[in-house]
Amino acid sequence: MKNLKTLLCALLLVGATACGRQSANTGEAEPEAPENLLYGINVDDYRTETGEVGNGETMGGILNRYGISALVVDRLDKASREVFPLRNIRAGHKYTAFIHEDSLYAPHLDWLVYETSVTDYVVFGFHDNDSVSVRKDCKQYTLRRTKKSAVINSSLWGAIMEQNLPYALAADLEDIYQWTVDFFGIQKGDSFTVIYDERFIDDTVSAGIGRIWGAKFIQSGKEFYAIPFRQGGKIQYWEADGGSLRKQLLKAPLKYSRISSRFTYARKHPIYKVYRPHTGVDYAAPKGTPIHAVADGVVIFKGWGGGGGNTLKIKHAGNLQTGYLHLSRFAKGISKGSRVSQGQLIGYVGSTGASTGPHLDYRIWKNGTPIDPLKIPSEPAEPISKENRALFEFVRDRIIAELNGDVKPEERITQLDSLQLPAATAVSAAPATEEKKSEK
């Protein structure tokens, strides 16, 4: 019976969450989990106190207030380095102390739980013989599948805030569509619909979002679908026709900015007051805004570019070259000859050289000739393979049906691993395949 109880308690501690548990023990084993749990601890056995980490406060200082000696704090510091370094605590984060009183009513701290986020926490244990333990875990949460639509009035972030949607949706949608949707060309009336999992603690407290199960973004009347599907060992997002949303070049090398000047052969220079070519696109952004490589390549120039200030140039496949001008500084590890990957941090927005304010002057050359970065075509990555086509179309049709209307819960795609076509679909597809073979 005891073994069965132990098994049930272990399952309760693990819960239905997607987080893993890390721990480091140098003393007693943790107690079996009883029914009335808080952070996996029997709250009925303790008096609890909660507080928030103050500005400049350390874990050692908090523990000293509860009677934990400097020697034990040092032992805990060493035990927790691989799980959660004590120096990583931050002001404003909540902690809970679990205190028991001995026969003389003297208080003793057995556990102190520090919340690293809304969902995650670390349990520091203090046991007999001054032994310690450290356990990293997360609260149990439920996933609620949600579908939301919004019309954009100013920007994607503005629409997210106006509709009181999770802020993480904006970042995730920008990541998914960064090769396809021109977020600097957003117009009033553009819209999106997205299906996603939202995490809830105690069914009431929102704790972020999980997987995005599908999206439809409408820009200037054109629909861009995002269908999740696993190919090549990882889940990626695909267009409705099976083409990859991932392209050879990112749409832009930075986020959260605006276009202040476009590609032209006759722009009046804001400093020199003469008309001259401006064969690039200026993105106005705060100083220090991260800049990312738009494609894989090799750095061929890093240094002072005269009026361009701190300049970086990267050579890419297809006789393409990109330039990044007026940088405040270069990213760590970037030097001439360095190989960079698409999306890699390469520098930060600045106002060096002939510049009236912080911005990035972004340029592209093909075979040495400057071309408009906003008009360059970009080849997509490898599409859905022939052997995955039927299964992809099954997933696509269900996701699109859910995006465009209501579907029964049993008709939703709820997992992307070990997917198989329904028997009826597989059988009906077989004759068509044989016909195509016979036609050849």
Side-chain angles (χ1 to χ4, degrees):
M1 186 69 183
K2 185 177 180 180
N3 290 339
L4 177 60
K5 181 181 177 183
T6 302
L7 176 60
L8 290 174
C9 291
L11 290 173
L12 180 60
L13 276 171
V14 173
T17 67
C19 66
R21 174 181 297 180
Q22 272 185 283
S23 63
N25 293 281
T26 60
E28 297 180 0
E30 295 175 21
E32 292 182 5
E35 294 299 322
N36 191 12
L37 299 176
L38 179 63
Y39 304 112
I41 302 167
N42 182 9
V43 74
D44 293 336
D45 292 342
Y46 298 95
R47 171 170 59 85
T48 61
E49 293 181 5
T50 61
E52 283 189 0
V53 179
N55 288 325
E57 197 166 25
T58 65
M59 181 60 75
I62 295 171
L63 293 174
N64 286 338
R65 291 204 304 270
Y66 288 103
I68 303 299
S69 69
L71 178 65
V72 175
V73 171
D74 182 65
R75 187 171 295 162
L76 180 68
D77 180 58
K78 292 175 181 176
S80 63
R81 285 176 186 172
E82 298 300 319
V83 180
F84 181 83
L86 299 187
R87 67 177 181 275
N88 286 355
I89 69 166
R90 296 291 181 264
H93 284 235
K94 176 184 173 183
Y95 64 84
T96 301
F98 292 77
I99 303 163
H100 86 271
E101 295 176 344
D102 61 22
S103 57
L104 299 177
Y105 301 103
H108 297 274
L109 179 70
D110 280 6
W111 310 94
L112 188 133
V113 180
Y114 169 78
E115 293 193 357
T116 58
S117 68
V118 176
T119 56
D120 301 326
Y121 59 88
V122 184
V123 181
F124 301 107
F126 306 92
H127 314 293
D128 294 337
N129 303 317
D130 288 338
S131 61
V132 297
S133 64
V134 186
R135 172 168 60 85
K136 197 174 183 180
D137 212 333
C138 64
K139 300 174 185 178
Q140 296 183 35
Y141 60 78
T142 56
L143 290 175
R144 190 178 302 166
R145 194 178 181 107
T146 306
K147 182 176 78 170
K148 293 291 184 180
S149 298
V151 176
I152 297 173
N153 291 315
S154 57
S155 67
L156 174 61
W157 282 86
I160 293 289
M161 289 187 286
E162 289 168 9
Q163 297 295 320
N164 294 318
L165 301 179
Y167 292 163
L169 268 182
D172 285 355
L173 286 173
E174 286 192 336
D175 284 343
I176 290 170
Y177 284 114
Q178 61 184 310
W179 298 273
T180 309
V181 171
D182 181 6
F183 287 100
F184 299 103
I186 293 289
Q187 298 179 4
K188 186 175 182 179
D190 290 347
S191 63
F192 65 88
T193 300
V194 59
I195 304 165
Y196 61 96
D197 285 334
E198 188 168 4
R199 300 187 183 101
F200 285 91
I201 298 172
D202 297 328
D203 287 329
T204 56
V205 180
S206 177
I209 65 174
R211 181 181 307 286
I212 289 184
W213 287 101
K216 178 174 71 172
F217 204 104
I218 301 178
Q219 183 175 41
S220 300
K222 185 176 180 180
E223 295 181 343
F224 299 94
Y225 282 97
I227 310 298
F229 189 79
R230 182 180 290 279
Q231 178 169 286
K234 59 182 177 180
I235 295 172
Q236 301 179 68
Y237 290 88
W238 311 81
E239 298 177 355
D241 64 0
S244 175
L245 280 175
R246 188 182 181 96
K247 300 295 191 294
Q248 179 189 3
L249 298 178
L250 297 179
K251 277 288 185 179
L254 74 174
K255 297 180 180 179
Y256 322 130
S257 62
R258 62 182 176 84
I259 294 176
S260 56
S261 183
R262 295 175 181 266
F263 185 98
T264 178
Y265 280 96
R267 183 188 72 155
K268 188 174 183 179
H269 196 280
I271 293 178
Y272 303 128
K273 306 302 181 183
V274 296
Y275 285 91
R276 57 169 58 178
H278 179 257
T279 53
V281 173
D282 287 350
Y283 292 101
K287 181 180 178 180
T289 299
I291 299 168
H292 304 273
V294 296
D296 296 349
V298 177
V299 176
I300 58 173
F301 179 84
K302 173 195 172 186
W304 188 258
N310 289 329
T311 298
L312 199 66
K313 292 183 179 180
I314 302 174
K315 184 178 181 181
H316 310 281
N319 294 319
L320 289 175
Q321 180 182 315
T322 55
Y324 311 81
L325 287 62
H326 305 301
L327 308 186
S328 60
R329 59 191 175 96
F330 304 101
K332 188 176 180 180
I334 297 296
S335 59
K336 185 176 179 180
S338 297
R339 297 197 67 84
V340 296
S341 302
Q342 186 179 63
Q344 181 178 333
L345 178 67
I346 55 174
Y348 302 87
V349 168
S351 188
T352 55
S355 169
T356 57
H359 72 285
L360 170 68
D361 184 346
Y362 170 54
R363 305 194 175 202
I364 298 182
W365 297 267
K366 186 173 179 64
N367 295 320
T369 301
I371 55 178
D372 188 345
L374 299 179
K375 296 180 179 178
I376 182 171
S378 184
E379 294 299 320
E382 182 181 355
I384 290 292
S385 64
K386 187 180 296 184
E387 56 268 27
N388 288 333
R389 171 61 64 171
L391 187 55
F392 167 77
E393 290 180 352
F394 169 73
V395 173
R396 175 201 64 194
D397 292 348
R398 296 217 167 184
I399 294 294
I400 289 179
E402 189 175 354
L403 284 166
N404 293 333
D406 294 324
V407 298
K408 298 176 182 178
E410 62 269 21
E411 294 177 348
R412 295 172 178 170
I413 297 296
T414 57
Q415 61 97 12
L416 295 170
D417 294 307
S418 304
L419 271 176
Q420 291 184 342
L421 283 171
T425 306
V427 170
S428 63
T433 305
E434 292 300 320
E435 280 184 20
K436 289 181 178 179
K437 286 183 179 179
S438 63
E439 286 173 5
K440 293 180 182 179

PDB file of all heavy atoms in Angstrom, residues 354-365:
ATOM      1  N   ALA A 354      28.058  59.862 -40.651  1.00  0.00           N
ATOM      2  CA  ALA A 354      27.197  60.980 -41.056  1.00  0.00           C
ATOM      3  C   ALA A 354      25.741  60.610 -40.798  1.00  0.00           C
ATOM      4  O   ALA A 354      25.051  60.070 -41.668  1.00  0.00           O
ATOM      5  CB  ALA A 354      27.429  61.316 -42.529  1.00  0.00           C
ATOM      6  N   SER A 355      25.281  60.884 -39.601  1.00  0.00           N
ATOM      7  CA  SER A 355      23.944  60.470 -39.190  1.00  0.00           C
ATOM      8  C   SER A 355      23.329  61.539 -38.301  1.00  0.00           C
ATOM      9  O   SER A 355      24.015  62.133 -37.465  1.00  0.00           O
ATOM     10  CB  SER A 355      24.014  59.137 -38.432  1.00  0.00           C
ATOM     11  OG  SER A 355      22.795  58.831 -37.803  1.00  0.00           O
ATOM     12  N   THR A 356      22.030  61.773 -38.459  1.00  0.00           N
ATOM     13  CA  THR A 356      21.337  62.770 -37.643  1.00  0.00           C
ATOM     14  C   THR A 356      20.615  62.151 -36.457  1.00  0.00           C
ATOM     15  O   THR A 356      20.036  62.853 -35.641  1.00  0.00           O
ATOM     16  CB  THR A 356      20.303  63.536 -38.502  1.00  0.00           C
ATOM     17  OG1 THR A 356      19.390  62.585 -39.069  1.00  0.00           O
ATOM     18  CG2 THR A 356      20.993  64.311 -39.608  1.00  0.00           C
ATOM     19  N   GLY A 357      20.631  60.822 -36.355  1.00  0.00           N
ATOM     20  CA  GLY A 357      19.956  60.156 -35.252  1.00  0.00           C
ATOM     21  C   GLY A 357      20.134  58.655 -35.365  1.00  0.00           C
ATOM     22  O   GLY A 357      20.575  58.147 -36.408  1.00  0.00           O
ATOM     23  N   PRO A 358      19.827  57.924 -34.320  1.00  0.00           N
ATOM     24  CA  PRO A 358      20.029  56.473 -34.346  1.00  0.00           C
ATOM     25  C   PRO A 358      19.160  55.774 -35.377  1.00  0.00           C
ATOM     26  O   PRO A 358      17.941  55.953 -35.391  1.00  0.00           O
ATOM     27  CB  PRO A 358      19.669  56.035 -32.918  1.00  0.00           C
ATOM     28  CG  PRO A 358      18.805  57.118 -32.382  1.00  0.00           C
ATOM     29  CD  PRO A 358      19.272  58.383 -33.033  1.00  0.00           C
ATOM     30  N   HIS A 359      19.792  55.004 -36.247  1.00  0.00           N
ATOM     31  CA  HIS A 359      19.074  54.231 -37.254  1.00  0.00           C
ATOM     32  C   HIS A 359      20.026  53.213 -37.871  1.00  0.00           C
ATOM     33  O   HIS A 359      21.242  53.295 -37.701  1.00  0.00           O
ATOM     34  CB  HIS A 359      18.490  55.138 -38.348  1.00  0.00           C
ATOM     35  CG  HIS A 359      19.516  55.718 -39.279  1.00  0.00           C
ATOM     36  ND1 HIS A 359      20.357  56.748 -38.929  1.00  0.00           N
ATOM     37  CD2 HIS A 359      19.844  55.398 -40.567  1.00  0.00           C
ATOM     38  CE1 HIS A 359      21.161  57.052 -39.937  1.00  0.00           C
ATOM     39  NE2 HIS A 359      20.865  56.244 -40.952  1.00  0.00           N
ATOM     40  N   LEU A 360      19.460  52.262 -38.594  1.00  0.00           N
ATOM     41  CA  LEU A 360      20.255  51.311 -39.368  1.00  0.00           C
ATOM     42  C   LEU A 360      20.056  51.602 -40.844  1.00  0.00           C
ATOM     43  O   LEU A 360      18.920  51.650 -41.321  1.00  0.00           O
ATOM     44  CB  LEU A 360      19.819  49.872 -39.079  1.00  0.00           C
ATOM     45  CG  LEU A 360      20.424  48.807 -40.012  1.00  0.00           C
ATOM     46  CD1 LEU A 360      21.924  48.669 -39.780  1.00  0.00           C
ATOM     47  CD2 LEU A 360      19.727  47.465 -39.860  1.00  0.00           C
ATOM     48  N   ASP A 361      21.148  51.807 -41.552  1.00  0.00           N
ATOM     49  CA  ASP A 361      21.117  51.910 -43.017  1.00  0.00           C
ATOM     50  C   ASP A 361      21.445  50.505 -43.540  1.00  0.00           C
ATOM     51  O   ASP A 361      22.583  50.036 -43.431  1.00  0.00           O
ATOM     52  CB  ASP A 361      22.156  52.928 -43.494  1.00  0.00           C
ATOM     53  CG  ASP A 361      22.101  53.165 -45.007  1.00  0.00           C
ATOM     54  OD1 ASP A 361      21.456  52.355 -45.708  1.00  0.00           O
ATOM     55  OD2 ASP A 361      22.703  54.132 -45.480  1.00  0.00           O
ATOM     56  N   TYR A 362      20.434  49.834 -44.090  1.00  0.00           N
ATOM     57  CA  TYR A 362      20.551  48.442 -44.520  1.00  0.00           C
ATOM     58  C   TYR A 362      20.612  48.385 -46.037  1.00  0.00           C
ATOM     59  O   TYR A 362      19.758  48.965 -46.720  1.00  0.00           O
ATOM     60  CB  TYR A 362      19.357  47.651 -43.994  1.00  0.00           C
ATOM     61  CG  TYR A 362      19.201  46.255 -44.543  1.00  0.00           C
ATOM     62  CD1 TYR A 362      20.230  45.323 -44.477  1.00  0.00           C
ATOM     63  CD2 TYR A 362      17.990  45.854 -45.111  1.00  0.00           C
ATOM     64  CE1 TYR A 362      20.071  44.048 -44.967  1.00  0.00           C
ATOM     65  CE2 TYR A 362      17.810  44.575 -45.602  1.00  0.00           C
ATOM     66  CZ  TYR A 362      18.856  43.677 -45.535  1.00  0.00           C
ATOM     67  OH  TYR A 362      18.691  42.409 -46.028  1.00  0.00           O
ATOM     68  N   ARG A 363      21.615  47.690 -46.577  1.00  0.00           N
ATOM     69  CA  ARG A 363      21.816  47.664 -48.032  1.00  0.00           C
ATOM     70  C   ARG A 363      22.025  46.232 -48.532  1.00  0.00           C
ATOM     71  O   ARG A 363      22.520  45.372 -47.807  1.00  0.00           O
ATOM     72  CB  ARG A 363      23.017  48.525 -48.406  1.00  0.00           C
ATOM     73  CG  ARG A 363      22.891  49.948 -47.869  1.00  0.00           C
ATOM     74  CD  ARG A 363      23.847  50.898 -48.481  1.00  0.00           C
ATOM     75  NE  ARG A 363      23.600  52.261 -48.011  1.00  0.00           N
ATOM     76  CZ  ARG A 363      23.982  53.360 -48.640  1.00  0.00           C
ATOM     77  NH1 ARG A 363      24.653  53.260 -49.786  1.00  0.00           N
ATOM     78  NH2 ARG A 363      23.718  54.549 -48.148  1.00  0.00           N
ATOM     79  N   ILE A 364      21.660  46.021 -49.801  1.00  0.00           N
ATOM     80  CA  ILE A 364      21.869  44.724 -50.456  1.00  0.00           C
ATOM     81  C   ILE A 364      22.454  44.973 -51.849  1.00  0.00           C
ATOM     82  O   ILE A 364      22.002  45.874 -52.577  1.00  0.00           O
ATOM     83  CB  ILE A 364      20.553  43.930 -50.596  1.00  0.00           C
ATOM     84  CG1 ILE A 364      19.966  43.620 -49.220  1.00  0.00           C
ATOM     85  CG2 ILE A 364      20.800  42.618 -51.341  1.00  0.00           C
ATOM     86  CD1 ILE A 364      18.689  42.801 -49.276  1.00  0.00           C
ATOM     87  N   TRP A 365      23.465  44.160 -52.193  1.00  0.00           N
ATOM     88  CA  TRP A 365      24.027  44.183 -53.539  1.00  0.00           C
ATOM     89  C   TRP A 365      23.911  42.786 -54.150  1.00  0.00           C
ATOM     90  O   TRP A 365      24.075  41.778 -53.462  1.00  0.00           O
ATOM     91  CB  TRP A 365      25.506  44.565 -53.503  1.00  0.00           C
ATOM     92  CG  TRP A 365      25.803  45.936 -52.987  1.00  0.00           C
ATOM     93  CD1 TRP A 365      25.940  47.082 -53.699  1.00  0.00           C
ATOM     94  CD2 TRP A 365      26.039  46.293 -51.615  1.00  0.00           C
ATOM     95  NE1 TRP A 365      26.246  48.137 -52.871  1.00  0.00           N
ATOM     96  CE2 TRP A 365      26.304  47.684 -51.591  1.00  0.00           C
ATOM     97  CE3 TRP A 365      26.030  45.577 -50.408  1.00  0.00           C
ATOM     98  CZ2 TRP A 365      26.578  48.371 -50.397  1.00  0.00           C
ATOM     99  CZ3 TRP A 365      26.289  46.255 -49.225  1.00  0.00           C
ATOM    100  CH2 TRP A 365      26.553  47.632 -49.230  1.00  0.00           C
TER     101      TRP A 365
END
